[in-house]
Amino acid sequence: MSEQAKKSVKITETILRDAHQSLIATRMTTEQMLPIIEKMDKVGYHAVECWGGATFDASLRFLKEDPWDRLRKLRTGFKNTKLQMLFRGQNILGYRHYADDVVEYFVQKSIANGIDIIRIFDCLNDIRNLETAVRATVKEKGHAQIALSYTLGDAYTIDYWTNIAKRVEDMGADSLCIKDMAGLLIPYEAEKLVKALKEMVKIPVELHTHYTSGVASMTYLKAVEAGCDIIDTAISPFALGTSQPATEVMVETFKGTEYDTGLNQNLLAEIADYFRPIRDEALESGLLNPKVMGVDIKTLLYQVPGGMLSNMVSQLKEQNAEDKYYEVLQEIPRVRKDLGEPPLVTPSSQIVGTQAVFNVLMGERYKMATKETKAVLRGEYGQTVKPFDTEVMEKVIPGEEVITCRPADKIPPELEKIEAEMAEWKEQDEDVLSYALFPQVATEYFKYRQAQKTKVDPFAADLESGSYPV
Protein backbone atom coordinates (compact mmCIF):
# COMPACT_ATOMS: atom_id res chain seq x y z
CA MET A 1 0.00 0.00 0.00
CA SER A 2 1.40 3.41 -0.97
CA GLU A 3 1.98 6.22 1.54
CA GLN A 4 -0.72 8.23 -0.27
CA ALA A 5 -3.34 5.48 0.12
CA LYS A 6 -2.48 5.19 3.80
CA LYS A 7 -2.97 8.93 4.51
CA SER A 8 -6.20 9.34 2.53
CA VAL A 9 -8.72 10.83 4.96
CA LYS A 10 -12.10 9.14 5.28
CA ILE A 11 -15.46 10.90 5.48
CA THR A 12 -18.49 10.08 7.65
CA GLU A 13 -21.58 11.82 6.23
CA THR A 14 -23.98 13.23 8.85
CA ILE A 15 -26.87 14.49 6.68
CA LEU A 16 -29.25 11.72 7.77
CA ARG A 17 -28.67 12.26 11.52
CA ASP A 18 -26.67 15.08 13.10
CA ALA A 19 -26.99 17.63 10.27
CA HIS A 20 -30.79 17.68 10.28
CA GLN A 21 -30.86 17.23 14.07
CA SER A 22 -28.70 20.36 14.44
CA LEU A 23 -30.50 22.55 11.89
CA ILE A 24 -34.14 21.43 11.62
CA ALA A 25 -34.81 19.70 14.94
CA THR A 26 -34.49 16.17 13.46
CA ARG A 27 -37.61 16.58 11.31
CA MET A 28 -36.41 14.96 8.07
CA THR A 29 -38.73 12.07 7.24
CA THR A 30 -37.81 8.61 5.96
CA GLU A 31 -39.76 9.42 2.79
CA GLN A 32 -37.45 12.39 2.17
CA MET A 33 -34.36 10.22 2.68
CA LEU A 34 -35.13 7.18 0.55
CA PRO A 35 -34.97 8.61 -3.02
CA ILE A 36 -31.32 9.74 -2.65
CA ILE A 37 -29.89 6.65 -0.96
CA GLU A 38 -28.83 4.89 -4.17
CA LYS A 39 -26.67 7.91 -5.11
CA MET A 40 -25.26 8.29 -1.60
CA ASP A 41 -24.34 4.60 -1.64
CA LYS A 42 -22.04 5.20 -4.64
CA VAL A 43 -19.98 7.95 -2.99
CA GLY A 44 -17.57 5.76 -1.03
CA TYR A 45 -18.18 7.29 2.39
CA HIS A 46 -16.46 5.64 5.34
CA ALA A 47 -19.94 5.56 6.92
CA VAL A 48 -23.29 7.34 6.88
CA GLU A 49 -24.54 8.41 10.31
CA CYS A 50 -28.28 7.87 10.04
CA TRP A 51 -29.73 6.74 13.38
CA GLY A 52 -29.59 7.26 17.12
CA GLY A 53 -29.15 10.64 18.79
CA ALA A 54 -32.53 12.40 18.70
CA THR A 55 -33.78 10.60 15.56
CA PHE A 56 -35.48 7.85 17.57
CA ASP A 57 -37.49 10.19 19.81
CA ALA A 58 -38.33 12.62 16.97
CA SER A 59 -39.54 9.82 14.67
CA LEU A 60 -42.04 8.58 17.24
CA ARG A 61 -42.99 11.95 18.76
CA PHE A 62 -43.25 14.29 15.78
CA LEU A 63 -43.18 12.27 12.56
CA LYS A 64 -45.37 9.34 13.67
CA GLU A 65 -42.82 6.95 12.17
CA ASP A 66 -41.34 3.74 13.52
CA PRO A 67 -37.57 4.36 13.90
CA TRP A 68 -36.90 0.62 13.48
CA ASP A 69 -38.75 0.63 10.19
CA ARG A 70 -36.63 3.59 9.04
CA LEU A 71 -33.45 1.70 9.90
CA ARG A 72 -34.56 -1.39 7.96
CA LYS A 73 -35.41 0.71 4.89
CA LEU A 74 -32.06 2.52 5.02
CA ARG A 75 -30.25 -0.81 5.38
CA THR A 76 -32.04 -2.15 2.28
CA GLY A 77 -30.98 0.92 0.27
CA PHE A 78 -27.36 1.19 1.44
CA LYS A 79 -25.82 -1.92 -0.07
CA ASN A 80 -22.15 -0.83 0.06
CA THR A 81 -21.98 1.73 2.87
CA LYS A 82 -21.61 1.22 6.61
CA LEU A 83 -24.43 2.65 8.72
CA GLN A 84 -23.60 4.39 11.99
CA MET A 85 -25.63 5.43 15.02
CA LEU A 86 -25.03 7.60 18.12
CA PHE A 87 -25.64 5.86 21.46
CA ARG A 88 -25.57 7.55 24.90
CA GLY A 89 -23.90 4.73 26.82
CA GLN A 90 -26.04 3.52 29.71
CA ASN A 91 -28.69 6.14 28.74
CA ILE A 92 -29.07 4.44 25.30
CA LEU A 93 -31.12 7.13 23.49
CA GLY A 94 -33.13 8.21 26.52
CA TYR A 95 -32.42 10.48 29.47
CA ARG A 96 -31.89 8.08 32.40
CA HIS A 97 -29.66 5.09 33.04
CA TYR A 98 -31.18 1.76 32.00
CA ALA A 99 -30.48 -1.71 33.32
CA ASP A 100 -27.80 -3.75 31.54
CA ASP A 101 -30.36 -6.15 30.04
CA VAL A 102 -32.08 -3.24 28.22
CA VAL A 103 -28.75 -1.86 26.93
CA GLU A 104 -27.69 -5.30 25.68
CA TYR A 105 -31.02 -5.95 23.95
CA PHE A 106 -30.99 -2.51 22.30
CA VAL A 107 -27.49 -3.08 20.91
CA GLN A 108 -28.48 -6.55 19.68
CA LYS A 109 -31.57 -5.24 17.87
CA SER A 110 -29.75 -2.20 16.41
CA ILE A 111 -27.15 -4.43 14.79
CA ALA A 112 -29.74 -7.04 13.71
CA ASN A 113 -31.72 -4.29 11.94
CA GLY A 114 -28.74 -2.92 10.05
CA ILE A 115 -26.33 -0.81 12.14
CA ASP A 116 -22.61 -1.46 11.55
CA ILE A 117 -20.91 1.16 13.75
CA ILE A 118 -22.17 2.21 17.19
CA ARG A 119 -20.67 5.46 18.46
CA ILE A 120 -20.97 5.27 22.24
CA PHE A 121 -20.44 8.22 24.60
CA ASP A 122 -21.14 9.31 28.17
CA CYS A 123 -21.87 12.89 29.21
CA LEU A 124 -19.32 12.72 32.06
CA ASN A 125 -16.72 10.65 30.14
CA ASP A 126 -17.20 8.06 32.91
CA ILE A 127 -16.11 5.04 30.93
CA ARG A 128 -17.80 2.67 33.39
CA ASN A 129 -21.05 3.87 31.77
CA LEU A 130 -19.80 2.61 28.38
CA GLU A 131 -18.71 -0.91 29.37
CA THR A 132 -22.01 -2.74 28.80
CA ALA A 133 -22.68 -1.14 25.41
CA VAL A 134 -19.13 -1.84 24.19
CA ARG A 135 -19.25 -5.46 25.36
CA ALA A 136 -22.64 -5.98 23.69
CA THR A 137 -21.47 -4.39 20.42
CA VAL A 138 -18.38 -6.61 20.28
CA LYS A 139 -20.52 -9.68 21.08
CA GLU A 140 -22.89 -8.86 18.18
CA LYS A 141 -19.88 -8.37 15.88
CA GLY A 142 -20.55 -4.65 15.43
CA HIS A 143 -17.90 -1.91 15.38
CA ALA A 144 -17.69 -0.25 18.82
CA GLN A 145 -16.51 3.33 18.58
CA ILE A 146 -16.09 5.22 21.85
CA ALA A 147 -16.58 8.98 21.66
CA LEU A 148 -15.00 11.22 24.28
CA SER A 149 -17.00 14.39 24.96
CA TYR A 150 -14.50 17.21 24.36
CA THR A 151 -14.48 20.14 26.74
CA LEU A 152 -12.17 22.72 28.31
CA GLY A 153 -11.11 23.20 31.93
CA ASP A 154 -8.18 22.71 34.31
CA ALA A 155 -8.66 18.94 34.44
CA TYR A 156 -8.83 18.41 30.67
CA THR A 157 -5.14 18.28 29.82
CA ILE A 158 -3.49 16.35 26.99
CA ASP A 159 -2.57 13.76 29.63
CA TYR A 160 -6.24 13.41 30.59
CA TRP A 161 -7.25 12.73 26.96
CA THR A 162 -4.40 10.31 26.21
CA ASN A 163 -4.92 8.34 29.45
CA ILE A 164 -8.63 7.95 28.86
CA ALA A 165 -7.97 7.03 25.20
CA LYS A 166 -5.65 4.23 26.33
CA ARG A 167 -8.33 2.95 28.72
CA VAL A 168 -10.85 3.05 25.87
CA GLU A 169 -8.54 1.00 23.63
CA ASP A 170 -7.95 -1.52 26.44
CA MET A 171 -11.72 -1.79 26.94
CA GLY A 172 -12.04 -3.22 23.42
CA ALA A 173 -13.08 -0.20 21.37
CA ASP A 174 -12.51 -0.58 17.61
CA SER A 175 -12.01 3.16 17.12
CA LEU A 176 -11.95 6.42 19.05
CA CYS A 177 -13.85 9.64 18.34
CA ILE A 178 -13.27 13.10 19.76
CA LYS A 179 -16.82 14.46 20.04
CA ASP A 180 -16.61 18.26 20.04
CA MET A 181 -20.33 18.97 20.42
CA ALA A 182 -19.89 22.68 21.24
CA GLY A 183 -17.28 23.60 18.60
CA LEU A 184 -14.66 24.40 21.27
CA LEU A 185 -11.70 22.63 19.64
CA ILE A 186 -9.58 25.23 17.87
CA PRO A 187 -7.17 24.32 15.02
CA TYR A 188 -3.76 24.21 16.74
CA GLU A 189 -5.19 22.51 19.84
CA ALA A 190 -6.66 19.88 17.51
CA GLU A 191 -3.24 19.33 15.98
CA LYS A 192 -1.68 18.82 19.44
CA LEU A 193 -4.50 16.56 20.62
CA VAL A 194 -4.57 14.31 17.54
CA LYS A 195 -0.77 13.92 17.51
CA ALA A 196 -0.81 12.89 21.17
CA LEU A 197 -3.68 10.43 20.64
CA LYS A 198 -2.05 8.84 17.57
CA GLU A 199 1.11 8.27 19.63
CA MET A 200 -0.89 6.69 22.46
CA VAL A 201 -3.35 4.36 20.63
CA LYS A 202 -3.25 2.08 17.60
CA ILE A 203 -6.99 2.25 16.81
CA PRO A 204 -8.30 4.79 14.22
CA VAL A 205 -9.06 8.31 15.48
CA GLU A 206 -12.13 10.20 14.21
CA LEU A 207 -13.02 13.84 14.81
CA HIS A 208 -16.56 15.17 15.12
CA THR A 209 -17.17 18.90 15.53
CA HIS A 210 -19.79 21.59 14.89
CA TYR A 211 -19.36 24.83 12.95
CA THR A 212 -21.02 26.88 15.73
CA SER A 213 -17.93 28.93 16.63
CA GLY A 214 -16.72 29.28 13.01
CA VAL A 215 -13.42 27.38 13.26
CA ALA A 216 -14.46 23.80 12.41
CA SER A 217 -13.09 23.54 8.83
CA MET A 218 -9.68 24.83 9.95
CA THR A 219 -9.79 22.45 12.91
CA TYR A 220 -10.35 19.53 10.50
CA LEU A 221 -7.46 20.68 8.31
CA LYS A 222 -4.97 20.73 11.20
CA ALA A 223 -6.35 17.47 12.65
CA VAL A 224 -5.97 15.62 9.33
CA GLU A 225 -2.42 16.94 8.89
CA ALA A 226 -1.71 15.59 12.41
CA GLY A 227 -2.91 12.10 11.46
CA CYS A 228 -6.69 12.09 12.08
CA ASP A 229 -8.14 9.14 10.13
CA ILE A 230 -11.81 10.12 9.71
CA ILE A 231 -13.77 13.40 9.82
CA ASP A 232 -17.53 13.99 10.08
CA THR A 233 -19.05 16.30 7.46
CA ALA A 234 -22.50 17.26 6.14
CA ILE A 235 -23.55 17.74 2.52
CA SER A 236 -23.57 21.52 1.87
CA PRO A 237 -27.30 22.43 2.05
CA PHE A 238 -27.33 21.13 5.65
CA ALA A 239 -23.79 22.15 6.61
CA LEU A 240 -22.31 25.04 8.66
CA GLY A 241 -24.06 26.92 11.46
CA THR A 242 -24.69 24.50 14.31
CA SER A 243 -24.10 21.56 11.91
CA GLN A 244 -20.80 20.17 10.54
CA PRO A 245 -18.42 21.58 7.89
CA ALA A 246 -19.53 20.90 4.30
CA THR A 247 -18.55 17.57 2.75
CA GLU A 248 -17.73 19.10 -0.66
CA VAL A 249 -15.51 21.80 0.89
CA MET A 250 -13.41 19.28 2.81
CA VAL A 251 -13.19 16.97 -0.23
CA GLU A 252 -11.94 19.91 -2.34
CA THR A 253 -9.51 21.02 0.40
CA PHE A 254 -7.68 17.67 0.38
CA LYS A 255 -7.94 17.06 -3.39
CA GLY A 256 -4.57 16.43 -5.01
CA THR A 257 -2.80 16.15 -1.65
CA GLU A 258 -1.60 13.06 0.20
CA TYR A 259 -4.89 13.20 2.16
CA ASP A 260 -7.11 13.12 -0.98
CA THR A 261 -10.48 11.53 -0.12
CA GLY A 262 -11.01 10.25 -3.67
CA LEU A 263 -14.69 11.28 -3.52
CA ASN A 264 -16.40 12.51 -6.71
CA GLN A 265 -17.51 16.16 -6.59
CA ASN A 266 -20.05 15.67 -9.43
CA LEU A 267 -21.81 12.95 -7.47
CA LEU A 268 -21.71 15.07 -4.29
CA ALA A 269 -23.19 17.99 -6.29
CA GLU A 270 -26.13 15.80 -7.37
CA ILE A 271 -26.71 14.82 -3.73
CA ALA A 272 -26.56 18.49 -2.67
CA ASP A 273 -29.09 19.35 -5.43
CA TYR A 274 -31.45 16.79 -3.95
CA PHE A 275 -31.28 18.17 -0.39
CA ARG A 276 -31.40 21.89 -1.33
CA PRO A 277 -35.20 22.05 -1.86
CA ILE A 278 -35.70 20.22 1.47
CA ARG A 279 -33.55 22.90 3.14
CA ASP A 280 -35.44 25.73 1.34
CA GLU A 281 -38.77 24.27 2.39
CA ALA A 282 -37.58 24.12 6.02
CA LEU A 283 -36.49 27.76 5.77
CA GLU A 284 -39.87 28.87 4.39
CA SER A 285 -41.84 26.95 7.03
CA GLY A 286 -39.71 28.38 9.86
CA LEU A 287 -38.32 24.97 10.78
CA LEU A 288 -34.83 26.21 9.86
CA ASN A 289 -34.10 29.34 11.87
CA PRO A 290 -31.55 31.52 9.96
CA LYS A 291 -29.97 32.37 13.34
CA VAL A 292 -28.51 28.86 13.68
CA MET A 293 -26.62 29.38 10.38
CA GLY A 294 -24.45 32.20 11.76
CA VAL A 295 -21.24 32.06 13.75
CA ASP A 296 -21.75 32.32 17.51
CA ILE A 297 -18.43 33.41 18.96
CA LYS A 298 -19.94 33.39 22.47
CA THR A 299 -19.44 29.63 22.30
CA LEU A 300 -15.68 30.18 22.57
CA LEU A 301 -15.91 33.12 24.98
CA TYR A 302 -18.14 31.36 27.51
CA GLN A 303 -17.47 27.73 26.53
CA VAL A 304 -21.22 27.17 26.41
CA PRO A 305 -22.82 25.17 23.55
CA GLY A 306 -25.20 27.16 21.30
CA GLY A 307 -28.23 25.03 22.24
CA MET A 308 -27.57 25.64 25.92
CA LEU A 309 -27.50 29.44 25.40
CA SER A 310 -30.86 29.46 23.57
CA ASN A 311 -32.37 27.27 26.31
CA MET A 312 -31.12 29.68 28.95
CA VAL A 313 -32.55 32.72 27.12
CA SER A 314 -36.00 31.09 26.91
CA GLN A 315 -35.90 30.22 30.64
CA LEU A 316 -35.08 33.85 31.50
CA LYS A 317 -37.80 35.14 29.13
CA GLU A 318 -40.41 33.00 30.90
CA GLN A 319 -39.42 34.62 34.21
CA ASN A 320 -39.25 38.16 32.71
CA ALA A 321 -35.61 38.22 33.74
CA GLU A 322 -33.75 38.71 30.46
CA ASP A 323 -31.68 41.45 32.14
CA LYS A 324 -30.00 38.66 34.18
CA TYR A 325 -28.44 37.09 31.04
CA TYR A 326 -24.83 38.07 31.78
CA GLU A 327 -25.16 37.19 35.46
CA VAL A 328 -26.27 33.68 34.46
CA LEU A 329 -23.42 33.42 31.93
CA GLN A 330 -20.96 34.15 34.74
CA GLU A 331 -22.72 31.69 37.05
CA ILE A 332 -22.55 28.74 34.59
CA PRO A 333 -18.77 28.10 35.00
CA ARG A 334 -19.17 28.35 38.79
CA VAL A 335 -21.97 25.75 38.87
CA ARG A 336 -20.00 23.55 36.50
CA LYS A 337 -17.02 23.71 38.88
CA ASP A 338 -19.25 22.90 41.89
CA LEU A 339 -20.53 19.81 40.04
CA GLY A 340 -17.07 18.40 39.25
CA GLU A 341 -16.42 20.26 35.96
CA PRO A 342 -18.35 17.94 33.60
CA PRO A 343 -18.37 18.39 29.81
CA LEU A 344 -21.47 20.36 28.79
CA VAL A 345 -23.43 17.94 26.62
CA THR A 346 -26.91 16.36 26.98
CA PRO A 347 -27.96 16.02 29.78
CA SER A 348 -25.21 17.72 31.85
CA SER A 349 -25.52 21.00 29.89
CA GLN A 350 -29.24 21.28 30.74
CA ILE A 351 -28.58 20.44 34.41
CA VAL A 352 -25.81 23.04 34.84
CA GLY A 353 -27.67 25.72 32.85
CA THR A 354 -30.96 25.36 34.73
CA GLN A 355 -29.22 25.39 38.13
CA ALA A 356 -27.31 28.56 37.15
CA VAL A 357 -30.63 30.24 36.24
CA PHE A 358 -32.14 29.23 39.63
CA ASN A 359 -29.07 30.47 41.52
CA VAL A 360 -29.30 33.93 39.93
CA LEU A 361 -33.09 34.31 40.10
CA MET A 362 -33.31 33.19 43.75
CA GLY A 363 -30.64 35.67 44.80
CA GLU A 364 -28.94 32.90 46.78
CA ARG A 365 -26.85 30.05 45.39
CA TYR A 366 -28.50 26.61 45.74
CA LYS A 367 -31.41 28.01 47.76
CA MET A 368 -33.36 25.74 45.43
CA ALA A 369 -31.67 22.78 43.71
CA THR A 370 -33.27 20.83 40.86
CA LYS A 371 -33.79 17.08 41.26
CA GLU A 372 -31.21 16.58 38.49
CA THR A 373 -28.58 18.63 40.38
CA LYS A 374 -29.25 16.45 43.43
CA ALA A 375 -28.91 13.31 41.30
CA VAL A 376 -25.53 14.46 39.95
CA LEU A 377 -24.28 15.15 43.49
CA ARG A 378 -25.51 11.73 44.64
CA GLY A 379 -23.39 10.13 41.91
CA GLU A 380 -26.41 8.87 39.97
CA TYR A 381 -24.91 9.95 36.64
CA GLY A 382 -21.46 8.60 37.41
CA GLN A 383 -18.07 10.01 38.36
CA THR A 384 -16.90 13.48 37.34
CA VAL A 385 -13.31 14.35 36.52
CA LYS A 386 -13.03 16.54 39.66
CA PRO A 387 -14.68 16.12 43.08
CA PHE A 388 -17.93 17.93 43.93
CA ASP A 389 -17.80 21.05 46.11
CA THR A 390 -18.30 19.80 49.70
CA GLU A 391 -20.15 22.95 50.87
CA VAL A 392 -22.60 22.65 47.99
CA MET A 393 -23.16 18.95 48.80
CA GLU A 394 -23.79 19.85 52.44
CA LYS A 395 -26.39 22.42 51.41
CA VAL A 396 -28.12 20.41 48.67
CA ILE A 397 -28.01 16.76 49.87
CA PRO A 398 -27.05 16.96 53.57
CA GLY A 399 -26.26 13.54 55.05
CA GLU A 400 -27.43 11.63 51.95
CA GLU A 401 -25.67 8.52 50.69
CA VAL A 402 -23.45 9.03 47.65
CA ILE A 403 -23.05 6.30 45.02
CA THR A 404 -19.44 5.46 44.22
CA CYS A 405 -20.03 2.34 42.11
CA ARG A 406 -21.12 2.28 38.47
CA PRO A 407 -24.70 3.70 38.68
CA ALA A 408 -26.22 0.85 36.63
CA ASP A 409 -25.00 -1.66 39.25
CA LYS A 410 -27.89 -0.35 41.35
CA ILE A 411 -30.50 -1.01 38.64
CA PRO A 412 -32.01 -4.53 38.64
CA PRO A 413 -32.92 -6.18 35.29
CA GLU A 414 -36.02 -4.45 33.91
CA LEU A 415 -36.70 -5.94 30.46
CA GLU A 416 -39.30 -8.51 31.60
CA LYS A 417 -41.22 -5.93 33.60
CA ILE A 418 -41.24 -3.50 30.62
CA GLU A 419 -42.37 -6.27 28.26
CA ALA A 420 -45.29 -7.17 30.56
CA GLU A 421 -46.30 -3.51 30.85
CA MET A 422 -46.61 -2.94 27.11
CA ALA A 423 -47.72 -6.41 25.96
CA GLU A 424 -51.01 -5.17 24.42
CA TRP A 425 -49.12 -2.95 21.95
CA LYS A 426 -46.38 -5.35 20.86
CA GLU A 427 -46.32 -6.07 17.12
CA GLN A 428 -42.54 -6.65 16.82
CA ASP A 429 -39.79 -7.37 19.36
CA GLU A 430 -38.38 -3.87 18.85
CA ASP A 431 -41.59 -2.24 20.17
CA VAL A 432 -40.49 -3.26 23.69
CA LEU A 433 -37.37 -1.10 23.31
CA SER A 434 -39.29 1.87 21.91
CA TYR A 435 -41.52 1.67 24.98
CA ALA A 436 -38.57 1.18 27.37
CA LEU A 437 -36.99 4.45 26.23
CA PHE A 438 -40.07 6.62 25.76
CA PRO A 439 -43.10 5.00 27.44
CA GLN A 440 -45.64 7.80 26.84
CA VAL A 441 -44.41 8.82 23.40
CA ALA A 442 -44.23 5.19 22.23
CA THR A 443 -47.73 4.44 23.56
CA GLU A 444 -49.11 7.45 21.63
CA TYR A 445 -47.36 6.16 18.51
CA PHE A 446 -48.70 2.60 19.03
CA LYS A 447 -52.25 4.00 19.33
CA TYR A 448 -51.73 6.02 16.14
CA ARG A 449 -50.34 2.93 14.36
CA GLN A 450 -53.38 0.90 15.40
CA ALA A 451 -55.78 3.64 14.27
CA GLN A 452 -54.09 3.77 10.85
CA LYS A 453 -54.65 0.04 10.40
CA THR A 454 -58.34 0.19 11.23
CA LYS A 455 -59.04 3.07 8.84
CA VAL A 456 -61.12 1.90 5.88
CA ASP A 457 -59.76 2.71 2.45
CA PRO A 458 -62.76 4.45 0.76
CA PHE A 459 -61.58 3.41 -2.70
CA ALA A 460 -61.50 -0.27 -1.66
CA ALA A 461 -64.91 0.05 -0.01
CA ASP A 462 -66.43 1.56 -3.17
CA LEU A 463 -64.98 -1.24 -5.29
CA GLU A 464 -66.43 -3.83 -2.94
CA SER A 465 -69.89 -2.28 -3.01
CA GLY A 466 -69.78 -2.06 -6.77
CA SER A 467 -70.55 1.69 -6.71
CA TYR A 468 -67.21 2.80 -8.14
CA PRO A 469 -67.16 3.16 -11.94
CA VAL A 470 -64.42 0.75 -12.98
Side-chain angles (χ1 to χ4, degrees):
M1 187 186 272
S2 71
E3 187 64 18
Q4 184 149 338
K6 263 192 271 181
K7 282 194 175 178
S8 169
V9 67
K10 294 179 175 132
I11 301 270
T12 291
E13 174 61 65
T14 67
I15 178 65
L16 302 184
R17 205 285 298 176
D18 201 7
H20 76 107
Q21 179 174 319
S22 297
L23 297 183
I24 60 166
T26 334
R27 295 298 202 281
M28 201 183 288
T29 65
T30 305
E31 205 174 287
Q32 288 173 314
M33 296 174 183
L34 295 178
I36 196 63
I37 285 176
E38 197 181 329
K39 272 202 179 115
M40 287 180 72
D41 197 33
K42 290 177 182 159
V43 171
Y45 290 121
H46 166 70
V48 168
E49 190 193 50
C50 63
W51 213 61
T55 61
F56 199 95
D57 183 1
S59 293
L60 291 167
R61 192 186 298 266
F62 304 114
L63 306 177
K64 293 289 176 272
E65 288 187 6
D66 178 10
W68 299 100
D69 189 46
R70 171 182 293 186
L71 176 54
R72 288 188 285 265
K73 284 175 174 165
L74 292 173
R75 180 71 281 167
T76 302
F78 281 108
K79 296 181 172 33
N80 310 299
T81 310
K82 288 193 167 111
L83 299 185
Q84 179 174 305
M85 75 173 288
L86 182 67
F87 194 102
R88 292 192 199 113
Q90 209 70 28
N91 292 7
I92 311 178
L93 306 175
Y95 301 100
R96 70 168 177 90
H97 279 211
Y98 295 88
D100 287 339
D101 61 345
V102 180
V103 175
E104 286 160 0
Y105 195 43
F106 201 100
V107 167
Q108 185 193 329
K109 285 296 178 187
S110 300
I111 292 172
N113 280 279
I115 288 294
D116 299 290
I117 302 168
I118 302 188
R119 177 178 288 174
I120 308 158
F121 80 100
D122 176 66
C123 75
L124 302 182
N125 288 332
D126 182 344
I127 68 173
R128 298 174 307 170
N129 295 334
L130 310 174
E131 286 166 3
T132 302
V134 170
R135 227 181 8 252
T137 304
V138 171
K139 185 186 169 195
E140 298 299 324
K141 301 192 169 40
H143 177 112
Q145 179 181 83
I146 289 186
L148 301 177
S149 301
Y150 182 78
T151 191
L152 302 170
D154 301 343
Y156 298 97
T157 60
I158 290 285
D159 280 350
Y160 166 82
W161 297 115
T162 52
N163 288 339
I164 200 168
K166 187 70 191 128
R167 286 168 69 199
V168 158
E169 185 177 46
D170 293 344
M171 191 195 275
D174 296 295
S175 62
L176 170 73
C177 174
I178 297 299
K179 179 179 164 59
D180 178 25
M181 55 282 165
L184 297 175
L185 184 57
I186 53 177
Y188 287 101
E189 287 304 315
E191 181 180 42
K192 270 189 251 173
L193 177 59
V194 171
K195 269 186 181 156
L197 290 173
K198 291 296 289 181
E199 281 168 19
M200 180 58 79
V201 298
K202 293 183 174 64
I203 54 177
V205 173
E206 183 157 358
L207 180 55
H208 172 93
T209 188
H210 289 251
Y211 210 85
T212 321
S213 60
V215 300
S217 296
M218 294 183 282
T219 294
Y220 275 167
L221 177 62
K222 297 310 288 180
V224 169
E225 287 175 353
C228 181
D229 301 285
I230 312 150
I231 54 174
D232 288 12
T233 65
I235 205 78
S236 56
F238 280 88
L240 311 184
T242 51
S243 177
Q244 279 74 48
T247 306
E248 305 95 308
V249 172
M250 297 319 300
V251 167
E252 198 61 27
T253 298
F254 297 119
K255 193 176 173 184
T257 72
E258 58 197 323
Y259 312 109
D260 199 325
T261 63
L263 304 193
N264 182 325
Q265 286 285 25
N266 293 327
L267 187 52
L268 293 174
E270 287 176 38
I271 294 164
D273 288 344
Y274 175 80
F275 283 107
R276 204 165 288 110
I278 297 174
R279 192 266 318 269
D280 294 344
E281 199 181 299
L283 202 52
E284 280 165 30
S285 70
L287 194 54
L288 174 56
N289 183 338
K291 276 185 184 169
V292 302
M293 297 308 292
V295 165
D296 188 354
I297 198 63
K298 286 194 191 108
T299 302
L300 289 178
L301 293 179
Y302 303 113
Q303 298 167 23
V304 174
M308 188 177 167
L309 280 176
S310 53
N311 197 31
M312 186 181 91
V313 169
S314 66
Q315 284 177 333
L316 290 173
K317 252 186 193 163
E318 276 170 30
Q319 302 299 321
N320 292 318
E322 288 168 88
D323 57 323
K324 305 281 190 197
Y325 178 76
Y326 286 100
E327 267 183 76
V328 175
L329 267 183
Q330 285 162 353
E331 179 63 6
I332 285 172
R334 290 198 284 262
V335 172
R336 184 179 171 225
K337 202 167 186 185
D338 294 340
L339 302 187
E341 222 171 83
L344 296 176
V345 62
T346 304
S348 54
S349 52
Q350 290 88 334
I351 296 168
V352 168
T354 303
Q355 189 59 55
V357 169
F358 275 133
N359 286 1
V360 168
L361 295 186
M362 293 283 170
E364 182 190 325
R365 304 187 77 228
Y366 302 100
K367 183 178 184 180
M368 182 182 166
T370 66
K371 68 177 196 299
E372 289 82 8
T373 297
K374 290 176 181 175
V376 169
L377 292 170
R378 284 190 206 108
E380 287 174 25
Y381 285 91
Q383 193 176 2
T384 48
V385 64
K386 283 195 163 179
F388 303 132
D389 184 285
T390 47
E391 283 178 29
V392 171
M393 288 180 80
E394 202 46 52
K395 186 168 185 177
V396 174
I397 54 161
E400 288 193 37
E401 187 201 345
V402 172
I403 298 170
T404 53
C405 65
R406 183 183 73 113
D409 288 343
K410 299 266 186 190
I411 309 173
E414 50 184 344
L415 203 53
E416 263 183 49
K417 179 175 159 279
I418 291 165
E419 183 136 21
E421 240 176 65
M422 59 78 61
E424 64 175 303
W425 302 111
K426 185 178 169 183
E427 289 184 14
Q428 56 175 351
D429 289 346
E430 291 80 2
D431 288 343
V432 178
L433 291 162
S434 301
Y435 181 88
L437 266 54
F438 303 105
Q440 289 164 303
V441 174
T443 303
E444 286 306 307
Y445 169 72
F446 297 150
K447 286 177 184 169
Y448 166 84
R449 181 173 67 183
Q450 206 167 52
Q452 292 303 102
K453 283 183 180 157
T454 54
K455 272 186 187 170
V456 180
D457 180 350
F459 181 78
D462 283 340
L463 270 180
E464 235 168 80
S465 66
S467 63
Y468 194 86
V470 179

